[in-house]
Amino acid sequence: MEETALLAPLLLTIAGLTVGAIFKSLFQRTRIPYTVGLFAIGLAAGIMNRMGVFHGMPQFSAALDSVANINPDLILYIFLPILIFDAAYELNLHIFKKTLTNATLLAAPGLIICMILTAGVLMAISFFVPGYEKWTWASALMFGALISATDPVAVVALLHELKTSKRFSTLVDAESLLNDGTGIVCFMLFYGITVWGRNDELTPILEFCQVVAGGAILGFIAARLVIWFITRVNSEEMIQNSVIILSAYLVFILAQLYLGISGVIALVAFGLTIAYVGKPRLKPQVNIFMGSFWELLTYIANTLIFIIVGIVIAEKVDFSWSHCAILLLVYIALNIIRYITIMMLYPIMKRSGYGLNKKESIILTWGGLRGALGMTLALMVSYTPAIPEEIRSQVLFFTAGTVTLTLCINATTMRWLLNKLGLIYIPTARTMMENKIQNLLHENSEQYFERLKTREALNGANWEKVSQYVTASPSAQEATPMANDVMNEIRLRVLDKEKMFLHQIYDEGIISKTSFMQLSNSLDELYDHDGSYALDTRTSIFNFCNRTFILDGMQRIPKIGSWISFYFKERIGVVHDLGRGFIILQKEDLKLLDDLEGSNMLSGEQKVVLKTLRAEIQHNLDTMNGILNKLANDFPKAYKHALTQKATRMLLCNERRNIRQLQTDGMLSDKDAEQLYERVDERSEKLNSLSHTIPASFVRWLMFKKKKA
């Protein structure tokens, strides 16, 4: 029995993941969001256990009871770091920066407005409804803080599944990331006032600023230290990933438990810094492993946490019809309050970043689900004896009911609402291209099927059954896309090709991290306009290159001339590297246009747009070739240094490719190949360190100071 009790958490975890795996495959054939289904499973298991269905299985019943009485800190410290770090790490940094203003508006002033209005509703209920007299403004604001933080896991998953706007889904995700931190900070503030009656240490506003700012600073500093460590310790990806994973947990625990600052904000800052600064510096295999590992951890965390929340609600919440009427009132009020808040912020939000339209504001309102974080904080309240028992039970009931209603009503009707508002829109040009691809696959499949039937070795096969697996022919498209729509769609596909090839030449070491970041930012700027901007709108790249020539005159300034000369030489190396990478990408773009022209993807009239696109790409090539020729003619020594660096890096890249080929051919084992890769990496690091040699003037200054001392 003792062994069974010790193994109960492990057995429950295995059972939960097994049930999750089974139902995930089943839910793929339905329109029910996966997390909502898991929540329903946990709810059903808890209700059956409470009704005595499992009394014949005392061990299983005891295990469910242990889940119902789970310590809320366990959820907070085990699951939350996984979900927060993964969400921050996977965010598209360019889109996040553009949506940051709107996300911050929703997460800070928006949450505070929701908190105050929700508290007002609770206080109104306490005045007019018997049984709620013990509510105070402190306890009402505490409840408002915990219930106002959104947890749109199911909605974000649905938005990705339906391929809606990446910008909008990032806004929903970013709001959730930021308001988790704001919600916890506000909750802890009023939780302390409710429990102890006062807060003498700091004023609420000052404490809020300190907790949020402290978390952001800690997360940023920790991420920079981790990046510094793992890029200088030339170790295998397992060690580098272990350092990042352990650091994520350490940052959260240090912030939340010991420093009294926001662990969520610290983790957001940590994850974003690792993604933006660290990803380009890590080995490609480390990034691949990180993506897969955190995806698995997030799947496990979401599976377990929604089942746990369902069990806790079913077993812990006391049900009564009078409370249900008040709960329905609170649920309706919360949706109205969220809409009012978004409308109050709408004049600013529609002009910030990517903007926001009325239809998206409705989705934001309806997508404000409540989930695991609110339940965790409500459980914390329910375990606090200093809070009156009526308030504890009502907080738990209202939170559990709101979580249940938002998951069962809002989440399940989101697909219908998106369709109704016309936000699931696929341009006709994209539909045309997808149909052409589907038709091409169908024709190739049919031709191969006919060839298979002629093979003597396959005589006797049931060809009627085999024919059922031939790729289906696409349905006919009703609307014909306009020429501009076709051009915009092809531009987007050109940018997709560029982004894919950019990662390839960076992973192979053909371009440096600085060039990779510059080219990525340029692509992101064009993506913002959905193909409506010409492909030669590369202002950021050409401005960066042209600013190099300004440094030429500054080299003659006394005192700082040697410093400028050093920086100028390095800058020319960067521009040359960026220019060559840019030219490689443009040549790949031309190959893509040639492939499109030679295929049946476009009609004769639609192929006319390829001429315009080819002219845009050629303009890019001519402009960049002109910049590089000017550098070569005006600054031959610095240009020679850049060519030397480039040739050395290409030599190392070639060696890395040869090792990979030998590995693929089976001539090298993975272990032996890893050692050879490390030797190449060591020489690459040496090359990078030599390219950042301290200028002689600085060395002379140090020597002068030493003699003077």
Side-chain angles (χ1 to χ4, degrees):
M1 284 294 292
E2 187 177 347
E3 289 182 356
T4 306
L6 290 172
L7 286 174
L10 177 60
L11 294 174
L12 278 173
T13 301
I14 293 171
L17 293 176
T18 304
V19 170
I22 293 170
F23 278 87
K24 187 172 178 62
S25 61
L26 294 177
F27 291 149
Q28 284 178 345
R29 298 180 179 89
T30 69
R31 294 194 168 187
I32 301 172
Y34 169 61
T35 50
V36 176
L38 292 177
F39 173 75
I41 292 166
L43 205 61
I47 290 171
M48 286 191 290
N49 188 51
R50 193 167 179 174
M51 293 170 62
V53 175
F54 301 126
H55 282 179
M57 298 180 286
Q59 293 176 347
F60 184 67
S61 179
L64 288 175
D65 289 337
S66 68
V67 172
N69 294 299
I70 192 171
N71 189 328
D73 287 338
L74 196 65
I75 299 175
L76 197 68
Y77 285 98
I78 291 180
F79 296 116
L80 201 60
I82 296 173
L83 300 175
I84 296 294
F85 178 81
D86 179 69
Y89 185 76
E90 292 299 325
L91 277 178
N92 182 305
L93 269 297
H94 175 77
I95 297 177
F96 175 74
K97 284 189 287 186
K98 282 293 203 62
T99 57
L100 181 59
T101 302
N102 284 345
T104 306
L105 283 171
L106 290 169
L111 185 136
I112 292 169
I113 293 168
C114 283
M115 176 185 72
I116 294 170
L117 293 177
T118 304
V121 170
L122 263 295
M123 290 307 294
I125 291 172
S126 70
F127 281 123
F128 295 106
V129 181
Y132 294 86
E133 297 87 357
K134 292 193 176 181
W135 281 88
T136 63
W137 273 105
S139 59
L141 287 167
M142 176 188 69
F143 174 74
L146 74 88
I147 206 66
S148 295
T150 57
D151 183 16
V153 175
V155 172
V156 171
L158 183 62
L159 292 175
H160 288 312
E161 177 193 335
L162 297 176
K163 298 179 181 179
T164 52
S165 168
K166 177 74 173 173
R167 303 163 191 170
F168 183 66
S169 60
T170 303
L171 172 61
V172 177
D173 219 354
E175 182 209 351
S176 173
L177 268 178
L178 298 177
N179 73 15
D180 279 354
T182 312
I184 290 177
V185 171
C186 293
F187 168 79
M188 294 306 296
L189 178 65
F190 292 107
Y191 174 80
I193 295 172
T194 304
V195 174
W196 295 294
R198 65 186 187 280
N199 191 337
D200 295 331
E201 295 180 8
L202 294 167
T203 62
I205 296 176
L206 185 59
E207 182 173 355
F208 177 83
C209 294
Q210 177 180 295
V211 169
V212 171
I217 293 169
L218 174 66
F220 176 76
I221 293 173
R224 297 297 302 205
L225 287 173
V226 167
I227 293 166
W228 176 85
F229 176 76
I230 61 180
T231 52
R232 277 156 182 78
V233 178
N234 192 21
S235 55
E236 59 185 21
E237 57 265 26
M238 287 293 182
I239 296 174
Q240 293 186 349
N241 278 290
S242 298
V243 170
I244 294 174
I245 293 160
L246 294 174
S247 299
Y249 271 97
L250 184 62
V251 164
F252 184 77
I253 293 169
L254 187 64
Q256 197 74 23
L257 193 61
Y258 294 103
L259 298 180
I261 55 181
S262 173
V264 174
I265 296 296
L267 260 183
V268 171
F270 180 81
L272 289 173
T273 308
I274 290 288
Y276 186 72
V277 181
K279 264 186 182 179
R281 298 187 183 182
L282 299 176
K283 298 176 183 177
Q285 56 267 35
V286 175
N287 286 322
I288 293 170
F289 181 86
M290 278 282 289
S292 302
F293 179 80
W294 281 100
E295 185 179 357
L296 174 63
L297 273 186
T298 305
Y299 163 74
I300 292 172
N302 275 324
T303 300
L304 294 177
I305 204 167
F306 278 93
I307 292 176
I308 289 171
V309 168
I311 293 172
V312 168
I313 289 174
E315 295 235 22
K316 297 283 287 183
V317 175
D318 295 324
F319 178 86
S320 71
W321 289 110
S322 59
H323 284 332
C324 283
I326 303 300
L327 168 63
L328 191 60
L329 177 65
V330 170
Y331 166 73
I332 294 170
L334 286 172
N335 282 294
I336 294 171
I337 286 169
R338 182 162 171 81
Y339 183 71
I340 290 170
T341 303
I342 292 171
M343 286 300 101
M344 289 173 67
L345 301 172
Y346 182 74
I348 303 173
M349 294 179 68
K350 70 178 181 180
R351 293 179 176 84
S352 301
Y354 294 116
L356 186 76
N357 59 45
K358 288 289 180 65
K359 291 180 179 180
E360 290 171 340
S361 66
I362 294 172
I363 296 297
L364 266 183
T365 301
W366 199 242
L369 310 184
R370 273 63 170 185
L373 179 63
M375 277 303 302
T376 303
L377 300 180
L379 284 172
M380 190 183 299
V381 172
S382 70
Y383 292 157
T384 307
I387 299 174
E389 186 178 350
E390 292 90 338
I391 292 178
R392 280 188 283 153
S393 63
Q394 287 161 8
V395 164
L396 187 60
F397 179 77
F398 287 153
T399 306
T402 303
V403 169
T404 304
L405 289 171
T406 55
L407 282 173
C408 294
I409 297 175
N410 297 44
T412 54
T413 57
M414 182 58 69
R415 185 190 298 264
W416 172 84
L417 186 60
L418 285 165
N419 272 316
K420 198 73 175 173
L421 295 174
L423 290 176
I424 306 175
Y425 168 72
I426 301 175
T428 53
R430 188 171 306 167
T431 305
M432 179 204 73
M433 298 286 278
E434 290 174 356
N435 279 359
K436 292 279 188 180
I437 292 170
Q438 189 68 23
N439 193 54
L440 181 65
L441 291 173
H442 171 70
E443 290 176 358
N444 287 339
S445 185
E446 278 196 330
Q447 290 170 7
Y448 188 68
F449 173 70
E450 294 299 327
R451 288 201 301 272
L452 285 177
K453 288 164 68 174
T454 62
R455 292 190 179 182
E456 186 177 345
L458 295 175
N459 281 343
N462 187 339
W463 295 112
E464 186 177 347
K465 185 172 287 188
V466 175
S467 66
Q468 296 173 9
Y469 293 88
V470 173
T471 306
S473 177
S475 56
Q477 186 176 357
E478 296 179 3
T480 304
M482 303 290 289
N484 280 344
D485 293 337
V486 174
M487 183 180 291
N488 293 349
E489 182 61 29
I490 296 175
R491 281 191 184 124
L492 288 175
R493 291 179 184 265
V494 168
L495 296 178
D496 288 338
K497 173 72 180 287
E498 252 188 75
K499 186 169 276 279
M500 180 192 71
F501 205 74
L502 173 62
H503 282 276
Q504 182 179 328
I505 62 176
Y506 174 67
D507 291 343
E508 292 178 358
I510 296 173
I511 59 173
S512 65
K513 172 189 173 263
T514 305
S515 302
F516 174 78
M517 296 299 291
Q518 288 283 345
L519 292 167
S520 292
N521 291 337
S522 170
L523 286 172
D524 287 334
E525 289 167 5
L526 283 177
Y527 270 118
D528 284 346
H529 302 284
D530 295 324
S532 60
Y533 274 29
L535 294 172
D536 54 359
T537 312
R538 308 296 179 107
T539 311
S540 60
I541 289 181
F542 295 135
N543 284 347
F544 177 82
C545 295
N546 287 323
R547 279 197 297 268
T548 304
F549 298 102
I550 300 173
L551 297 172
D552 179 35
M554 297 175 66
Q555 294 182 90
R556 301 176 183 84
I557 301 175
K559 302 274 188 183
I560 66 168
S562 58
W563 288 89
I564 297 296
S565 296
F566 166 75
Y567 179 69
F568 181 66
K569 183 179 74 171
E570 294 304 311
R571 182 63 173 259
I572 286 182
V574 171
V575 171
H576 175 267
D577 187 64
L578 171 65
R580 295 313 305 172
F582 184 68
I583 287 171
I584 290 171
L585 294 179
Q586 300 311 300
K587 288 181 177 178
E588 286 298 317
D589 293 345
L590 289 175
K591 289 180 184 177
L592 176 61
L593 296 186
D594 290 340
D595 292 341
L596 281 173
E597 190 164 26
S599 70
N600 295 324
M601 299 287 290
L602 303 173
S603 65
E605 294 178 355
Q606 291 168 345
K607 286 180 180 179
V608 175
V609 303
L610 296 178
K611 183 178 180 181
T612 303
L613 299 177
R614 203 173 268 112
E616 294 171 0
I617 296 170
Q618 191 60 50
H619 182 250
N620 284 337
L621 286 168
D622 294 341
T623 305
M624 187 55 74
N625 279 320
I627 290 172
L628 294 182
N629 289 336
K630 183 173 175 57
L631 284 178
N633 294 330
D634 294 354
F635 315 106
K637 289 184 179 179
Y639 195 75
K640 184 178 181 180
H641 171 76
L643 290 176
T644 304
Q645 295 287 103
K646 179 77 172 179
T648 308
R649 190 164 61 247
M650 291 179 71
L651 182 69
L652 295 173
C653 289
N654 181 66
E655 185 174 344
R656 195 178 280 110
R657 280 195 299 271
N658 288 334
I659 295 170
R660 189 181 297 114
Q661 187 60 49
L662 290 170
Q663 189 179 2
T664 304
D665 295 340
M667 302 292 291
L668 273 176
S669 67
D670 292 342
K671 195 70 177 176
D672 292 338
E674 187 63 34
Q675 293 176 355
L676 294 174
Y677 282 132
E678 287 179 4
R679 292 177 189 174
V680 177
D681 290 338
E682 286 173 6
R683 280 176 285 163
S684 296
E685 288 295 325
K686 182 180 177 183
L687 175 66
N688 292 334
S689 62
L690 286 174
S691 68
H692 292 92
T693 306
I694 299 173
S697 60
F698 184 60
V699 176
R700 289 196 296 270
W701 180 80
L702 286 176
M703 294 297 292
F704 172 74
K705 286 288 184 184
K706 187 176 180 181
K707 288 179 181 178
K708 192 173 181 181

